[in-house]
Amino acid sequence: MSAFSEAALERKLSELSNSQQSVQTLSLWLIHHRKHSTLIVSVWERELRKAKSNRKLTFLYLANDVIQNSKRKGPEFTKDFAPVIVEAFKHVSSESDESCKKHLGRVLSIWEERSVYENDVLEQLRQALYGDKKGKKRTYEQIQVEDNNCSARSSPTDPPQTTDLIRALQELENAASGDAAVHQRIASLPVEVQDVSLLDRITDKESGEQLSKMVDDACMLLADYNGRLAAEIDDRKQLTRMLSDFLRCQKEFLAEKEHKLEEYKCKLARVSQVRKELRSRIQNLPDLSRLPNVTGSHVHLPFAGDIYSDD
Protein backbone atom coordinates (compact mmCIF):
# COMPACT_ATOMS: atom_id res chain seq x y z
CA MET A 1 0.00 0.00 0.00
CA SER A 2 1.32 3.43 -0.94
CA ALA A 3 1.84 6.09 1.70
CA PHE A 4 -1.02 8.43 2.48
CA SER A 5 -1.04 12.09 1.56
CA GLU A 6 -3.71 14.56 0.52
CA ALA A 7 -2.15 14.81 -2.95
CA ALA A 8 -2.12 11.01 -3.29
CA LEU A 9 -5.77 10.86 -2.27
CA GLU A 10 -6.73 13.54 -4.80
CA ARG A 11 -4.90 11.64 -7.52
CA LYS A 12 -6.57 8.36 -6.66
CA LEU A 13 -10.01 10.00 -6.61
CA SER A 14 -9.34 11.54 -10.01
CA GLU A 15 -8.46 8.07 -11.35
CA LEU A 16 -11.51 6.40 -9.79
CA SER A 17 -13.69 4.62 -12.34
CA ASN A 18 -17.14 3.07 -12.11
CA SER A 19 -15.82 -0.51 -12.14
CA GLN A 20 -16.24 -2.55 -8.98
CA GLN A 21 -12.53 -3.36 -8.91
CA SER A 22 -11.59 0.35 -9.00
CA VAL A 23 -14.03 1.19 -6.20
CA GLN A 24 -12.97 -1.74 -4.00
CA THR A 25 -9.25 -1.15 -4.51
CA LEU A 26 -9.49 2.50 -3.46
CA SER A 27 -11.83 1.55 -0.61
CA LEU A 28 -9.23 -0.88 0.76
CA TRP A 29 -6.57 1.84 0.54
CA LEU A 30 -8.77 4.30 2.44
CA ILE A 31 -9.65 1.78 5.13
CA HIS A 32 -5.97 0.96 5.53
CA HIS A 33 -5.38 4.68 6.22
CA ARG A 34 -8.48 5.07 8.40
CA LYS A 35 -6.54 7.11 10.99
CA HIS A 36 -6.82 9.94 8.42
CA SER A 37 -10.58 9.45 8.09
CA THR A 38 -11.48 13.08 8.86
CA LEU A 39 -9.20 14.42 6.13
CA ILE A 40 -10.27 11.64 3.74
CA VAL A 41 -13.95 12.53 4.10
CA SER A 42 -13.20 16.23 3.67
CA VAL A 43 -11.23 15.66 0.46
CA TRP A 44 -13.86 13.18 -0.76
CA GLU A 45 -16.63 15.77 -0.36
CA ARG A 46 -14.59 18.48 -2.08
CA GLU A 47 -13.67 16.27 -5.03
CA LEU A 48 -17.26 15.01 -5.29
CA ARG A 49 -18.52 18.54 -5.90
CA LYS A 50 -15.77 19.17 -8.46
CA ALA A 51 -16.38 15.90 -10.33
CA LYS A 52 -18.32 15.70 -13.58
CA SER A 53 -21.95 14.67 -13.28
CA ASN A 54 -21.36 11.23 -14.75
CA ARG A 55 -18.74 10.46 -12.04
CA LYS A 56 -20.58 11.68 -8.95
CA LEU A 57 -22.49 8.44 -8.39
CA THR A 58 -19.18 6.55 -8.31
CA PHE A 59 -18.06 8.72 -5.38
CA LEU A 60 -21.13 7.60 -3.43
CA TYR A 61 -20.43 3.97 -4.36
CA LEU A 62 -16.97 4.48 -2.88
CA ALA A 63 -18.40 6.00 0.30
CA ASN A 64 -20.84 3.07 0.57
CA ASP A 65 -18.03 0.51 0.24
CA VAL A 66 -15.82 2.31 2.76
CA ILE A 67 -18.62 2.81 5.32
CA GLN A 68 -19.80 -0.79 5.21
CA ASN A 69 -16.42 -2.53 5.07
CA SER A 70 -14.70 -0.36 7.67
CA LYS A 71 -17.22 -0.99 10.44
CA ARG A 72 -15.51 -4.14 11.64
CA LYS A 73 -12.23 -2.22 12.01
CA GLY A 74 -13.70 0.84 13.69
CA PRO A 75 -16.46 3.49 13.53
CA GLU A 76 -14.28 6.27 12.11
CA PHE A 77 -15.69 6.47 8.61
CA THR A 78 -19.31 5.89 9.63
CA LYS A 79 -19.01 8.78 12.09
CA ASP A 80 -17.07 11.12 9.80
CA PHE A 81 -19.30 10.58 6.78
CA ALA A 82 -22.50 11.17 8.79
CA PRO A 83 -22.35 15.04 8.77
CA VAL A 84 -21.72 15.25 5.01
CA ILE A 85 -23.54 12.29 3.51
CA VAL A 86 -26.99 13.94 3.48
CA GLU A 87 -25.75 16.98 1.59
CA ALA A 88 -23.80 14.67 -0.71
CA PHE A 89 -27.02 12.80 -1.51
CA LYS A 90 -28.78 16.10 -2.21
CA HIS A 91 -25.95 17.28 -4.43
CA VAL A 92 -25.73 14.08 -6.51
CA SER A 93 -29.52 13.78 -6.74
CA SER A 94 -29.89 17.37 -7.97
CA GLU A 95 -27.44 16.77 -10.82
CA SER A 96 -28.62 13.29 -11.81
CA ASP A 97 -31.24 11.74 -14.04
CA GLU A 98 -33.91 9.29 -12.95
CA SER A 99 -31.69 6.29 -13.60
CA CYS A 100 -29.01 7.62 -11.27
CA LYS A 101 -31.61 8.39 -8.60
CA LYS A 102 -32.75 4.77 -8.73
CA HIS A 103 -29.17 3.69 -7.97
CA LEU A 104 -29.08 6.13 -5.05
CA GLY A 105 -32.34 4.65 -3.83
CA ARG A 106 -30.80 1.18 -3.87
CA VAL A 107 -27.85 2.37 -1.80
CA LEU A 108 -30.25 3.95 0.68
CA SER A 109 -32.37 0.79 0.86
CA ILE A 110 -29.29 -1.29 1.68
CA TRP A 111 -28.29 1.14 4.41
CA GLU A 112 -31.82 0.92 5.84
CA GLU A 113 -31.83 -2.87 5.83
CA ARG A 114 -28.36 -3.08 7.39
CA SER A 115 -28.95 -0.20 9.84
CA VAL A 116 -25.79 1.55 8.67
CA TYR A 117 -27.06 4.83 10.21
CA GLU A 118 -29.58 5.83 12.84
CA ASN A 119 -33.18 6.38 11.77
CA ASP A 120 -32.92 10.18 11.88
CA VAL A 121 -30.01 10.17 9.41
CA LEU A 122 -31.80 7.67 7.18
CA GLU A 123 -34.89 9.87 7.22
CA GLN A 124 -32.81 12.87 6.17
CA LEU A 125 -31.35 10.80 3.34
CA ARG A 126 -34.86 9.82 2.22
CA GLN A 127 -35.88 13.48 2.25
CA ALA A 128 -32.75 14.43 0.31
CA LEU A 129 -33.48 11.83 -2.33
CA TYR A 130 -37.27 11.80 -2.55
CA GLY A 131 -38.27 15.18 -1.14
CA ASP A 132 -41.82 15.10 0.26
CA LYS A 133 -42.47 11.75 -1.42
CA LYS A 134 -41.63 8.83 0.81
CA GLY A 135 -39.45 6.26 -0.79
CA LYS A 136 -40.82 2.78 -0.43
CA LYS A 137 -38.58 0.68 1.73
CA ARG A 138 -37.40 -2.50 0.04
CA THR A 139 -35.42 -5.46 1.23
CA TYR A 140 -31.99 -6.21 -0.17
CA GLU A 141 -33.39 -9.33 -1.83
CA GLN A 142 -36.10 -7.25 -3.53
CA ILE A 143 -33.44 -4.90 -4.85
CA GLN A 144 -31.51 -7.81 -6.34
CA VAL A 145 -34.68 -9.23 -7.92
CA GLU A 146 -35.47 -5.81 -9.38
CA ASP A 147 -31.97 -5.55 -10.83
CA ASN A 148 -32.30 -8.99 -12.41
CA ASN A 149 -35.71 -8.10 -13.83
CA CYS A 150 -34.35 -4.86 -15.24
CA SER A 151 -31.57 -6.80 -16.91
CA ALA A 152 -34.04 -9.29 -18.31
CA ARG A 153 -36.29 -6.53 -19.64
CA SER A 154 -33.52 -4.50 -21.16
CA SER A 155 -31.63 -7.32 -22.84
CA PRO A 156 -34.08 -7.97 -25.72
CA THR A 157 -33.84 -4.34 -26.87
CA ASP A 158 -30.15 -3.94 -26.24
CA PRO A 159 -28.27 -7.02 -27.51
CA PRO A 160 -24.49 -6.97 -27.02
CA GLN A 161 -22.30 -6.22 -29.98
CA THR A 162 -19.58 -8.62 -31.09
CA THR A 163 -16.93 -6.01 -30.22
CA ASP A 164 -18.31 -5.80 -26.67
CA LEU A 165 -18.02 -9.56 -26.25
CA ILE A 166 -14.47 -9.57 -27.58
CA ARG A 167 -13.50 -6.74 -25.24
CA ALA A 168 -15.05 -8.52 -22.23
CA LEU A 169 -13.22 -11.73 -23.09
CA GLN A 170 -9.93 -9.87 -23.52
CA GLU A 171 -10.34 -8.18 -20.14
CA LEU A 172 -10.73 -11.59 -18.49
CA GLU A 173 -7.35 -12.61 -19.88
CA ASN A 174 -5.81 -10.51 -17.09
CA ALA A 175 -8.32 -11.57 -14.43
CA ALA A 176 -7.32 -12.05 -10.82
CA SER A 177 -7.69 -15.83 -10.95
CA GLY A 178 -4.89 -15.95 -13.50
CA ASP A 179 -2.48 -13.66 -11.62
CA ALA A 180 0.40 -16.06 -10.99
CA ALA A 181 2.47 -13.42 -9.21
CA VAL A 182 -0.19 -12.84 -6.55
CA HIS A 183 -0.74 -16.59 -6.22
CA GLN A 184 2.96 -16.97 -5.48
CA ARG A 185 2.92 -14.13 -2.93
CA ILE A 186 -0.04 -15.71 -1.12
CA ALA A 187 1.56 -19.16 -1.23
CA SER A 188 4.76 -17.66 0.19
CA LEU A 189 3.08 -16.10 3.23
CA PRO A 190 4.90 -17.23 6.38
CA VAL A 191 3.14 -19.83 8.42
CA GLU A 192 3.21 -17.48 11.43
CA VAL A 193 0.51 -15.27 9.91
CA GLN A 194 -1.84 -18.24 9.45
CA ASP A 195 -1.47 -20.26 12.64
CA VAL A 196 -2.69 -18.75 15.89
CA SER A 197 -0.92 -21.41 17.94
CA LEU A 198 2.44 -19.99 16.84
CA LEU A 199 1.76 -16.73 18.70
CA ASP A 200 3.31 -18.38 21.73
CA ARG A 201 6.68 -18.01 20.06
CA ILE A 202 6.59 -14.24 20.50
CA THR A 203 9.02 -13.44 23.29
CA ASP A 204 9.48 -9.67 23.02
CA LYS A 205 7.77 -6.53 21.80
CA GLU A 206 9.96 -6.17 18.75
CA SER A 207 9.12 -9.61 17.41
CA GLY A 208 5.44 -8.98 18.19
CA GLU A 209 5.41 -5.72 16.24
CA GLN A 210 7.24 -7.37 13.38
CA LEU A 211 4.66 -10.15 13.23
CA SER A 212 1.85 -7.60 13.53
CA LYS A 213 3.15 -5.80 10.45
CA MET A 214 3.43 -9.10 8.57
CA VAL A 215 -0.17 -9.95 9.48
CA ASP A 216 -1.41 -6.50 8.42
CA ASP A 217 0.39 -6.82 5.09
CA ALA A 218 -1.05 -10.31 4.59
CA CYS A 219 -4.55 -9.05 5.41
CA MET A 220 -4.26 -6.22 2.90
CA LEU A 221 -2.88 -8.57 0.25
CA LEU A 222 -5.69 -11.06 0.75
CA ALA A 223 -8.38 -8.38 1.04
CA ASP A 224 -7.19 -6.75 -2.16
CA TYR A 225 -7.08 -10.11 -3.95
CA ASN A 226 -10.52 -11.05 -2.64
CA GLY A 227 -11.83 -7.75 -3.96
CA ARG A 228 -10.33 -8.48 -7.36
CA LEU A 229 -11.82 -11.97 -7.32
CA ALA A 230 -15.24 -10.55 -6.41
CA ALA A 231 -14.92 -8.10 -9.31
CA GLU A 232 -13.92 -10.96 -11.60
CA ILE A 233 -16.95 -12.98 -10.53
CA ASP A 234 -19.19 -10.03 -11.39
CA ASP A 235 -17.39 -9.61 -14.72
CA ARG A 236 -17.89 -13.29 -15.51
CA LYS A 237 -21.57 -13.10 -14.55
CA GLN A 238 -21.93 -10.06 -16.79
CA LEU A 239 -20.16 -11.90 -19.60
CA THR A 240 -22.48 -14.88 -19.08
CA ARG A 241 -25.49 -12.58 -19.42
CA MET A 242 -23.95 -10.97 -22.51
CA LEU A 243 -23.29 -14.37 -24.08
CA SER A 244 -26.84 -15.51 -23.26
CA ASP A 245 -28.29 -12.36 -24.83
CA PHE A 246 -25.98 -12.71 -27.82
CA LEU A 247 -26.94 -16.38 -28.26
CA ARG A 248 -30.62 -15.52 -27.98
CA CYS A 249 -30.28 -12.79 -30.61
CA GLN A 250 -28.36 -15.13 -32.90
CA LYS A 251 -31.08 -17.77 -32.53
CA GLU A 252 -33.73 -15.18 -33.36
CA PHE A 253 -31.65 -14.01 -36.32
CA LEU A 254 -31.19 -17.63 -37.45
CA ALA A 255 -34.92 -18.33 -37.14
CA GLU A 256 -35.67 -15.24 -39.20
CA LYS A 257 -33.22 -16.27 -41.90
CA GLU A 258 -34.53 -19.84 -41.91
CA HIS A 259 -38.05 -18.45 -42.37
CA LYS A 260 -36.88 -16.33 -45.30
CA LEU A 261 -35.05 -19.33 -46.74
CA GLU A 262 -38.27 -21.36 -46.65
CA GLU A 263 -40.09 -18.49 -48.38
CA TYR A 264 -37.45 -18.35 -51.10
CA LYS A 265 -37.53 -22.13 -51.49
CA CYS A 266 -41.28 -21.94 -52.09
CA LYS A 267 -40.81 -19.15 -54.59
CA LEU A 268 -38.06 -21.12 -56.34
CA ALA A 269 -40.35 -24.17 -56.49
CA ARG A 270 -43.13 -22.07 -58.06
CA VAL A 271 -40.75 -20.49 -60.56
CA SER A 272 -39.32 -23.93 -61.41
CA GLN A 273 -42.86 -25.25 -61.97
CA VAL A 274 -43.67 -22.34 -64.25
CA ARG A 275 -40.46 -22.96 -66.18
CA LYS A 276 -41.25 -26.66 -66.50
CA GLU A 277 -44.77 -26.01 -67.76
CA LEU A 278 -43.48 -23.35 -70.11
CA ARG A 279 -40.96 -25.76 -71.62
CA SER A 280 -43.71 -28.36 -71.99
CA ARG A 281 -45.94 -25.89 -73.79
CA ILE A 282 -43.11 -24.80 -76.04
CA GLN A 283 -42.39 -28.41 -76.99
CA ASN A 284 -46.07 -28.95 -77.91
CA LEU A 285 -46.20 -25.92 -80.17
CA PRO A 286 -45.78 -26.57 -83.97
CA ASP A 287 -42.39 -26.04 -85.57
CA LEU A 288 -42.58 -22.65 -87.26
CA SER A 289 -39.77 -23.53 -89.63
CA ARG A 290 -41.98 -26.13 -91.36
CA LEU A 291 -45.02 -23.92 -91.86
CA PRO A 292 -45.72 -22.21 -95.24
CA ASN A 293 -44.10 -18.84 -95.48
CA VAL A 294 -46.97 -16.40 -95.40
CA THR A 295 -44.72 -13.66 -96.69
CA GLY A 296 -44.91 -15.19 -100.20
CA SER A 297 -41.24 -15.83 -100.59
CA HIS A 298 -41.98 -19.39 -101.86
CA VAL A 299 -44.86 -18.39 -104.20
CA HIS A 300 -43.95 -18.11 -107.97
CA LEU A 301 -44.97 -14.80 -109.45
CA PRO A 302 -45.16 -14.50 -113.25
CA PHE A 303 -42.82 -12.13 -115.05
CA ALA A 304 -44.24 -9.18 -116.75
CA GLY A 305 -43.52 -10.82 -120.07
CA ASP A 306 -45.69 -13.71 -119.16
CA ILE A 307 -48.65 -11.44 -118.68
CA TYR A 308 -48.30 -9.89 -122.01
CA SER A 309 -47.41 -13.03 -123.91
CA ASP A 310 -49.39 -14.05 -126.91
CA ASP A 311 -50.37 -17.25 -125.16
Side-chain angles (χ1 to χ4, degrees):
M1 289 288 173
S2 58
F4 177 84
S5 69
E6 185 171 343
L9 174 57
E10 290 177 351
R11 184 180 69 255
K12 288 181 178 293
L13 287 172
S14 69
E15 296 170 351
L16 179 66
S17 72
N18 195 39
S19 70
Q20 184 175 358
Q21 181 174 344
S22 178
V23 172
Q24 289 182 336
T25 300
L26 182 51
S27 174
L28 288 169
W29 187 80
L30 295 177
I31 294 171
H32 181 69
H33 295 289
R34 61 188 178 279
K35 64 181 179 180
H36 303 288
S37 61
T38 303
L39 177 59
I40 288 173
V41 172
S42 175
V43 174
W44 173 88
E45 183 185 21
R46 184 181 70 217
E47 296 301 312
L48 165 67
R49 295 184 180 278
K50 289 165 54 178
K52 294 181 179 180
S53 298
N54 60 352
R55 297 187 66 242
K56 292 182 184 295
L57 181 62
T58 307
F59 275 70
L60 281 176
Y61 283 159
L62 175 64
N64 171 58
D65 199 278
V66 170
I67 290 170
Q68 293 202 65
N69 292 316
S70 66
K71 291 181 70 175
R72 60 180 178 271
K73 292 182 176 290
E76 299 93 336
F77 281 110
T78 305
K79 177 174 64 68
D80 290 335
F81 268 110
V84 304
I85 200 66
V86 174
E87 290 301 319
F89 257 69
K90 286 182 181 178
H91 174 71
V92 176
S93 178
S94 66
E95 298 194 9
S96 303
D97 55 19
E98 289 302 317
S99 176
C100 180
K101 290 179 181 179
K102 288 181 180 179
H103 290 296
L104 288 175
R106 290 168 189 162
V107 173
L108 176 56
S109 295
I110 293 172
W111 287 4
E112 289 174 336
E113 293 302 321
R114 298 181 180 179
S115 301
V116 172
Y117 282 111
E118 298 295 332
N119 288 335
D120 59 333
V121 176
L122 294 173
E123 179 60 31
Q124 292 179 56
L125 290 171
R126 280 192 292 269
Q127 289 291 329
L129 185 56
Y130 301 114
D132 294 332
K133 297 184 295 183
K134 297 291 185 181
K136 185 179 179 181
K137 190 173 181 179
R138 298 166 297 162
T139 64
Y140 183 63
E141 289 73 15
Q142 287 173 324
I143 294 169
Q144 290 182 314
V145 169
E146 179 182 293
D147 286 344
N148 292 335
N149 289 340
C150 287
S151 299
R153 288 195 298 270
S154 61
S155 57
T157 59
D158 190 21
Q161 300 298 315
T162 306
T163 53
D164 296 331
L165 287 173
I166 294 173
R167 187 181 305 111
L169 288 167
Q170 288 174 337
E171 288 175 354
L172 284 176
E173 290 180 358
N174 299 319
S177 59
D179 193 335
V182 175
H183 292 173
Q184 182 59 37
R185 289 178 61 191
I186 294 174
S188 302
L189 288 174
V191 66
E192 289 82 1
V193 304
Q194 307 174 54
D195 191 345
V196 178
S197 64
L198 298 180
L199 293 178
D200 295 336
R201 297 182 181 180
I202 299 175
T203 57
D204 54 62
K205 184 177 180 179
E206 182 179 354
S207 60
E209 290 178 347
Q210 183 178 1
L211 179 58
S212 177
K213 184 178 183 306
M214 291 170 58
V215 171
D216 285 343
D217 289 344
C219 285
M220 294 309 301
L221 172 63
L222 292 169
D224 180 62
Y225 188 59
N226 286 340
R228 291 176 60 197
L229 286 174
E232 180 185 340
I233 290 173
D234 285 345
D235 289 342
R236 290 187 181 277
K237 287 180 178 178
Q238 175 65 18
L239 177 60
T240 300
R241 289 191 292 269
M242 291 174 65
L243 288 170
S244 297
D245 289 343
F246 185 78
L247 179 60
R248 173 185 51 76
C249 291
Q250 291 301 309
K251 286 181 177 179
E252 292 175 356
F253 185 72
L254 176 62
E256 179 184 350
K257 295 305 177 184
E258 287 178 339
H259 178 69
K260 286 186 177 295
L261 177 61
E262 290 302 319
E263 287 183 352
Y264 293 148
K265 283 182 177 179
C266 291
K267 290 181 180 180
L268 176 60
R270 290 196 295 269
V271 171
S272 298
Q273 182 64 27
V274 170
R275 183 175 63 177
K276 180 179 179 181
E277 292 183 3
L278 180 59
R279 284 179 174 174
S280 177
R281 287 177 180 271
I282 290 174
Q283 289 174 356
N284 293 329
L285 288 174
D287 188 351
L288 295 178
S289 63
R290 297 181 180 181
L291 291 177
N293 192 329
V294 295
T295 62
S297 58
H298 293 287
V299 177
H300 175 72
L301 295 176
F303 291 100
D306 295 334
I307 298 174
Y308 297 106
S309 64
D310 292 337
D311 299 337

